[in-house]
Amino acid sequence: MHRTAATEDFRGADHHLALIESACDWAFITDSAFSICYAHKCNSAICDILPVNLVGQSFENFLPADARIGVMHLLRTECGDKKAASTETVYTDPLTGLYQVKCIQMGVEDFSGYSITVRRVTPELLGHLRQELYGDSYRTIDKHASIQLGQQKLIADLSSEFAKNSDATPDKLFDYALRELGSFMGVDRCLIFRHDLKSKTYSVLHEWHAPSVPSTKDILQNIPYNDDDEGFFQLTTRPYIAVDDTFQYSGEAYRIQRESGVHSFADLPILCNGRFWGFLGADYGSGPHYWTDSEFHMLQTIGSVISATLEKNEALERAEKASRAKGEFLSRMSHEIRTPMNAIIGMNEIAKSSNDPQRVDYCLDKIDQASHQLLGIINDILDLSKIESGKMEINCTEFNFGKMLQNVYNVLQPRVEEKGIEFTYDLQTRCDRCMISDELRLTQVVTNLLSNAVKFTPQGGDITLRARLTEERDSNALLRIEVQDTGIGIVPEEQAKLFHPFEQAGGSITRRFGGTGLGLSICRNIMDLMDGKIWVESTPGMGSRFMLEVAVQLGDNCMERLQDIPDLENTRVLVVDDSTDVLEYCQQIISGFRMHCDIAASGEQALAMVADGTPPYNIIFLDWKMPGMDGIQTAEALQRLVPPETIVIMISVADWSDLKQQTAEIGVTRFLAKPLLPSALFNTIVELIGIAQSNVEEEKDGVCYAWPGKTLLMAEDIEINQEIVRTLLEGTGLSIDCANNGAQAVAMYCAAPDRYDLILMDVQMPEMDGYEATRKLRTSGHGNAVDIPILAMTADAFSEDIKRCLEAGMDGHISKPIDVNELMEKLAANL
């Protein structure tokens, strides 16, 4: 009631109405706690706030955030404490400018409160305000208002210019910003400095200077600094630094400033994507200058605009670079895929038109090579897809490291022999225990590194694979693998690109040597997933050395048969080779088998050692190609010196068929291919001293698979795939029934459940896919539906695909294209 009376009194007062209509933007009535009881907005107000929304709120909420503390403190101390009947002040709204606030105490009946008016002060009206309102300070307020309005206009103009010319180069925009900023602030120079963190220098990239002021751009180039410099430390840890008078300071940086005509300067850091990029500077040369908060605010605003422009430009450059790289990659992929496809199609046409069996066999061999090359390209692309989608997983199992390296070399051996490359192992690592890691991914990385080494090493070059176990502690160790070659090498600027997808060595290298350019990127990502690292050291023309390190665990003993040989210490071995590395390597490995091992660097030295040796050697490993007396000559001479029970083994990179006839005549009936792996040496020695091999990793070559009386149900919608499986399983005695989709497979099984012993199930099929078909079979209640082996046979080869197959009720997974050995092994395990 009292508030209503106060409002009516306010509205009814002629002087108040006149004030509201002619002089104010806002008028308020508040209670003694400055809570708004009434609000009136005049037509001249440029604020969008509705008066009704302010009633009931504190007057403080109406004020801009930056002005609240100061204005409310004045109102409460002057009027609130009854020290004065009225008070006046000004504040700045960052959006709409300068305002005058006038507060008058008022009282109606039992109500006491305040009448508050708010008036926007324009530059035109500011000089006409009553001087008694501000006293002698009105000129300062006038200047402050002008600065505020000028800053707002400059920032608005700069923002408009940058937005309007977004396609312009940053250089033009920065030159424009420095010109406008320098002219407004009245400084002698405005500059943008760029820091080079590699060379520890800074230089002026852009400069604006007043007409009568000399330029310093040519002088302030490549100025050295270090991380301990106070100026550099301040720039990277503080919002800004300012020096009012350079003549008050000593030091190299201030000396350079003074010689450049700088008497006072202010610098602010410029960040780009959170990284220190450089700094924005302004300076005076005519004398000392005391920098104000308003000037710092202006510099910080322009610095923010520059940072945003740099980040936008950097993002555009990254996008354009990625787009170019992907375009080049697609071009390479087109070439890489079409090359083996051309070979497959061409050789197929030649084979169809030829009646010469040898010619047909030649074509089939080339088709096989091209098919595997194409499969490798597809696997690289799929691996990259898995990595980018986060679907590649690491699965650690126990495996024989030496056996793994032998399998890798077996894949590369034909190409190594074709190019006459000297391939050497240097394995200073324990070979008696298995390793626990992801064998598949580790094999993939080592194969890629060795394949690249073979590809880029010229005819007759050298490749060495080194492996070390370091930091062994209990069953944990760090595995370090190095692949060193004498190939073409890599220039430094290309080395940084090697491990990034789409950014490989130059296109000329790709055209010359081929390849997808994805292998090393995949290797790096695999190492990241395994918490390892991979890097390269290379000199152009001298070769490269790729290195990786990854943590592994040591498993069980993988050479348990040595424990069954009581007289190992009495077994004497001699290794003859002209390579010092090979001799040291073999001696280390064989000595690790608890055998006595001597080495000889030539045939002549070996003969002398045999002649003087007592007791005689049990086994002699003899290199074929040695300078002076070669392996065949040495073996012929040894035949007259050693007892009949001494076994001479020829070692060579050549094929045994080339040497068998020559060596048989001089008593050499054993052969071991280089490079020598611990597992190969171990198996050969164990076999020769009469111990039966019972290793679970025994080769399965020559195994005959036969399942007469068994029937297989194959669900496969592609006719050629049905034909391939039928042909591969010819001679095994299996009967095969085919279903063209999942629904037909379910119907065929349910009609005769006792007929089938195993089901091969494709996943992607029309009508009903393999997952649904498997679930329906398992729950059908017919025959042995719960237990019958169901193997997925699909091109979906990701780990999540395999997991999904198992979750649907399948017992295993066979990848397409079909590997014959995998198919036979999976069938043998389930039939």
Side-chain angles (χ1 to χ4, degrees):
M1 175 177 179
H2 302 308
R3 291 187 179 185
T4 302
T7 301
E8 292 301 324
D9 179 72
F10 183 88
R11 288 174 173 173
D14 292 339
H15 66 282
H16 278 154
L17 286 176
L19 182 64
I20 291 173
E21 296 300 331
S22 64
C24 294
D25 290 274
W26 285 89
F28 300 92
I29 295 177
T30 73
D31 61 15
S32 57
F34 293 98
S35 178
I36 297 173
C37 305
Y38 169 80
H40 177 82
K41 176 184 177 183
C42 298
N43 295 330
S44 60
I46 60 175
C47 179
D48 292 334
I49 301 175
L50 296 176
V52 68
N53 293 334
L54 294 173
V55 175
Q57 297 189 41
S58 171
F59 177 69
E60 181 178 357
N61 295 338
F62 170 79
L63 297 169
D66 294 342
R68 290 173 184 172
I69 294 177
V71 173
M72 294 308 299
H73 175 74
L74 180 66
L75 297 185
R76 290 190 178 102
T77 54
E78 293 293 330
C79 291
D81 293 340
K82 309 298 183 182
K83 293 181 180 179
S86 65
T87 188
E88 300 174 11
T89 186
V90 293
Y91 71 84
T92 301
D93 187 308
L95 296 177
T96 55
L98 189 69
Y99 286 84
Q100 173 198 7
V101 177
K102 186 173 182 179
C103 180
I104 301 174
Q105 293 185 21
M106 65 176 298
V108 178
E109 297 182 6
D110 295 333
F111 175 80
S112 63
Y114 307 96
S115 167
I116 301 176
T117 57
V118 178
R119 179 186 185 189
R120 182 169 178 268
V121 182
T122 63
E124 294 79 7
L125 296 177
L126 184 60
H128 301 290
L129 288 175
R130 291 173 302 166
Q131 185 170 351
E132 59 270 19
L133 177 64
Y134 304 105
D136 293 335
S137 67
Y138 80 94
R139 292 185 178 85
T140 302
I141 296 173
D142 186 32
K143 181 179 178 181
H144 175 74
S146 298
I147 292 173
Q148 289 282 332
L149 291 170
Q151 288 182 346
Q152 292 172 19
K153 183 177 183 302
L154 176 61
I155 293 171
D157 290 346
L158 286 174
S159 300
S160 174
E161 186 70 21
F162 275 58
K164 183 171 58 179
N165 297 287
S166 58
D167 295 334
T169 63
D171 291 347
K172 292 183 179 180
L173 295 173
F174 293 162
D175 288 339
Y176 172 80
L178 293 182
R179 183 175 68 251
E180 296 298 311
L181 177 64
S183 299
F184 176 80
M185 293 182 66
V187 297
D188 289 337
R189 301 179 191 86
C190 281
L191 312 98
I192 295 177
F193 291 83
R194 177 72 165 104
H195 270 254
D196 187 334
L197 298 180
K198 291 183 179 179
S199 63
K200 299 291 185 182
T201 60
Y202 62 87
S203 304
V204 174
L205 289 189
H206 302 275
E207 180 192 48
W208 170 89
H209 57 89
S212 60
V213 176
S215 171
T216 59
K217 185 174 183 180
D218 294 337
I219 301 173
L220 300 179
Q221 294 293 322
N222 301 314
I223 307 300
Y225 72 94
N226 59 63
D227 294 339
D228 297 328
D229 283 343
E230 181 182 358
F232 177 76
F233 176 78
Q234 290 178 338
L235 271 175
T236 54
T237 57
R238 298 183 182 179
Y240 56 82
I241 59 173
V243 174
D244 298 330
D245 188 352
T246 58
F247 287 86
Q248 300 297 318
Y249 297 90
S250 60
E252 180 67 12
Y254 297 108
R255 183 189 65 79
I256 294 173
Q257 294 277 22
R258 288 191 295 271
E259 291 180 357
S260 303
V262 176
H263 209 125
S264 175
F265 67 88
D267 295 329
L268 295 94
I270 296 175
L271 303 180
C272 181
N273 292 314
R275 304 186 308 272
F276 180 67
W277 181 90
F279 61 94
L280 171 67
D283 64 60
Y284 288 91
S286 56
H289 177 77
Y290 300 96
W291 299 90
T292 66
D293 291 341
S294 177
E295 289 172 321
F296 287 132
H297 175 72
M298 193 68 199
L299 288 171
Q300 287 171 333
T301 302
I302 303 304
S304 299
V305 173
I306 293 173
S307 294
T309 304
L310 288 170
E311 291 175 358
K312 179 181 177 181
N313 188 63
E314 188 175 280
L316 287 173
E317 287 181 352
R318 285 199 305 267
E320 290 173 359
K321 188 176 182 181
S323 178
R324 288 194 303 270
K326 288 185 178 182
E328 293 173 1
F329 168 75
L330 290 174
S331 177
R332 290 201 304 270
M333 286 303 96
S334 175
H335 174 268
E336 291 300 320
I337 292 173
R338 288 174 183 273
T339 297
M341 283 301 300
N342 180 65
I344 293 169
I345 295 171
M347 286 297 170
N348 181 61
E349 291 297 324
I350 294 172
K352 287 195 297 183
S353 61
S354 176
N355 295 321
D356 183 357
Q358 291 185 346
R359 184 70 169 169
V360 172
D361 288 342
Y362 172 82
C363 291
L364 291 175
D365 182 59
K366 293 300 181 183
I367 290 172
D368 180 68
Q369 293 178 22
S371 299
H372 282 85
Q373 181 185 356
L374 182 60
L375 181 61
I377 294 170
I378 294 172
N379 285 337
D380 276 353
I381 297 172
L382 291 177
D383 278 340
L384 182 65
S385 174
K386 283 192 287 185
I387 290 168
E388 291 189 339
S389 62
K391 294 182 178 179
M392 180 172 280
E393 298 177 352
I394 297 301
N395 298 303
C396 294
T397 57
E398 189 174 79
F399 66 97
N400 186 319
F401 181 68
K403 183 79 170 179
M404 184 206 83
L405 293 182
Q406 183 66 65
N407 292 336
V408 170
Y409 180 74
N410 289 343
V411 174
L412 300 172
Q413 184 177 8
R415 184 64 175 152
V416 170
E417 293 180 1
E418 179 185 338
K419 298 185 72 172
I421 292 173
E422 182 71 24
F423 194 103
T424 306
Y425 280 104
D426 181 6
L427 306 183
Q428 294 182 15
T429 181
R430 300 181 62 174
C431 298
D432 58 332
R433 294 180 67 181
C434 293
M435 286 187 187
I436 300 175
S437 185
D438 191 321
E439 180 182 10
L440 174 63
R441 296 306 174 191
L442 198 57
T443 298
Q444 187 175 355
V445 174
V446 174
T447 301
N448 183 273
L449 297 182
L450 288 174
S451 297
N452 286 343
V454 173
K455 181 191 299 183
F456 296 112
T457 300
Q459 200 82 14
D462 298 319
I463 295 176
T464 301
L465 186 145
R466 298 183 179 89
R468 306 280 189 274
L469 275 180
T470 61
E471 302 180 17
E472 288 190 59
R473 187 174 301 171
D474 298 328
S475 61
N476 298 311
L478 186 68
L479 174 63
R480 179 187 175 105
I481 297 177
E482 300 179 9
V483 175
Q484 184 169 358
D485 63 59
T486 56
I488 62 174
I490 309 162
V491 296
E493 56 267 25
E494 297 291 348
Q495 292 179 25
K497 301 179 181 179
L498 288 176
F499 299 101
H500 296 279
F502 314 122
E503 294 186 12
Q504 304 305 309
S508 60
I509 297 295
T510 302
R511 289 190 296 272
R512 181 179 169 191
F513 294 97
T516 64
L518 295 177
L520 289 175
S521 171
I522 294 170
C523 289
R524 187 202 64 180
N525 280 278
I526 290 174
M527 284 295 101
D528 289 344
L529 288 171
M530 298 177 73
D531 294 325
K533 60 181 180 178
I534 184 169
W535 70 100
V536 62
E537 296 175 358
S538 183
T539 303
M542 301 292 290
S544 304
R545 183 166 62 139
F546 284 84
M547 292 153 283
L548 67 89
E549 286 183 351
V550 63
V552 298
Q553 290 182 299
L554 300 179
D556 296 333
N557 195 315
C558 60
M559 294 184 177
E560 295 179 353
R561 286 177 290 158
L562 288 176
Q563 310 304 320
D564 301 327
I565 307 174
D567 298 325
L568 288 177
E569 294 85 352
N570 299 323
T571 300
R572 291 171 53 81
V573 179
L574 174 64
V575 180
V576 186
D577 199 297
D578 61 302
S579 169
T580 303
D581 290 339
V582 172
L583 293 177
E584 293 178 353
Y585 167 70
C586 289
Q587 188 173 44
Q588 175 199 355
I589 297 299
I590 295 173
S591 298
F593 298 156
R594 296 186 288 117
M595 301 178 186
H596 177 82
C597 181
D598 290 332
I599 55 176
S602 66
E604 294 84 355
Q605 184 182 359
L607 293 176
M609 294 174 66
V610 169
D612 296 341
T614 303
Y617 292 104
N618 303 96
I619 302 173
I620 299 176
F621 291 96
L622 183 60
D623 187 29
W624 176 38
K625 287 189 175 181
M626 294 185 294
M629 181 178 286
D630 64 20
I632 293 179
Q633 294 171 328
T634 305
E636 190 173 7
L638 284 172
Q639 196 176 25
R640 297 188 292 269
L641 296 176
V642 299
E645 59 270 20
T646 296
I647 300 172
V648 179
I649 302 173
M650 191 69 71
I651 55 177
S652 173
V653 295
D655 191 88
W656 174 232
S657 59
D658 299 332
L659 303 175
K660 191 172 184 178
Q661 185 174 356
Q662 300 179 57
T663 56
E665 299 171 356
I666 54 175
V668 178
T669 58
R670 298 280 181 171
F671 174 80
L672 196 58
K674 283 187 175 182
L676 302 174
L677 281 165
S679 57
L681 283 169
F682 168 76
N683 289 333
T684 301
I685 292 172
V686 168
E687 178 186 358
L688 293 177
I689 58 180
I691 303 299
Q693 297 194 38
S694 58
N695 197 319
V696 296
E697 295 178 349
E698 181 180 10
E699 295 292 334
K700 291 184 172 56
D701 294 344
V703 174
C704 180
Y705 295 101
W707 300 289
K710 301 285 187 179
T711 302
L712 182 150
L713 173 59
M714 177 169 51
E716 170 63 63
D717 62 311
I718 306 299
E719 186 176 347
I720 192 171
N721 289 341
Q722 296 179 4
E723 183 178 349
I724 289 172
V725 174
R726 285 182 180 276
T727 303
L728 292 177
L729 296 179
E730 281 182 358
T732 63
L734 270 175
S735 297
I736 302 175
D737 293 345
C738 291
N740 295 319
N741 56 63
Q744 189 176 347
V746 173
M748 291 174 65
Y749 175 81
C750 292
D754 297 332
R755 172 176 172 78
Y756 300 109
D757 300 283
L758 184 143
I759 299 173
L760 286 180
M761 182 72 73
D762 187 21
V763 170
Q764 304 294 340
M765 293 183 292
E767 295 191 39
M768 183 184 294
D769 62 29
Y771 302 118
E772 185 178 354
T774 299
R775 287 190 286 267
K776 285 187 175 297
L777 279 169
R778 292 299 190 203
T779 58
S780 66
H782 290 79
N784 62 339
V786 175
D787 301 317
I788 185 171
I790 302 177
L791 301 179
M793 188 175 65
T794 173
D796 295 339
F798 289 174
S799 58
E800 62 269 21
D801 297 320
I802 298 174
K803 181 180 179 181
R804 188 179 176 190
C805 290
L806 298 177
E807 290 174 347
M810 301 184 199
D811 299 288
H813 180 279
I814 300 171
S815 298
K816 293 178 182 177
I818 296 171
D819 181 284
V820 178
N821 291 330
E822 181 187 16
L823 174 64
M824 295 300 185
E825 289 173 6
K826 292 285 179 67
L827 291 179
N830 288 278
L831 284 174

